[in-house]
Amino acid sequence: KNQKKYWELYKSGLDEMMKRLEPKILLVYGNVPDKFFKEYKNKDVIIKHYPSQTSLAFGKKRDSVWKETLDTFQEHLVI
């Protein structure tokens, strides 16, 4: 029950933040589950995922993650 309440609060907070700030790019640390972020992907919001330390330890190398991050910002940088 507590976990369901936690995720409901997370989703409502995310929705409120997106409504107030109307970001073009969203930076997310950790998982990016579709049940929370799909509607924003469909609205052309760029969602940049930063893997957690755990996923880095068992997955991608850190250097490739930072290169991908830099590439994403350079593509959308407005000067």
Side-chain angles (χ1 to χ4, degrees), residues 24-25 44 46 70-79:
K24 303 289 185 216
I25 300 174
D44 295 326
I46 298 163
L70 180 60
D71 291 346
T72 300
F73 281 117
Q74 287 176 341
E75 288 174 15
H76 298 58
L77 186 63
V78 178
I79 298 177

Side-chain angles (χ1 to χ4, degrees), residues 14-25 45:
L14 175 64
D15 292 342
E16 186 64 24
M17 178 193 73
M18 296 300 287
K19 183 176 82 175
R20 289 183 188 197
L21 300 178
E22 299 178 357
K24 303 289 185 216
I25 300 174
V45 173

Side-chain angles (χ1 to χ4, degrees), residues 1 6 10 13 19 28 31 34 36 38 43 59 63 74:
K1 182 179 177 181
Y6 169 80
Y10 180 87
K19 183 176 82 175
V28 181
N31 292 332
D34 274 348
F36 299 121
K38 187 175 184 175
K43 293 180 181 178
D63 292 343
Q74 287 176 341

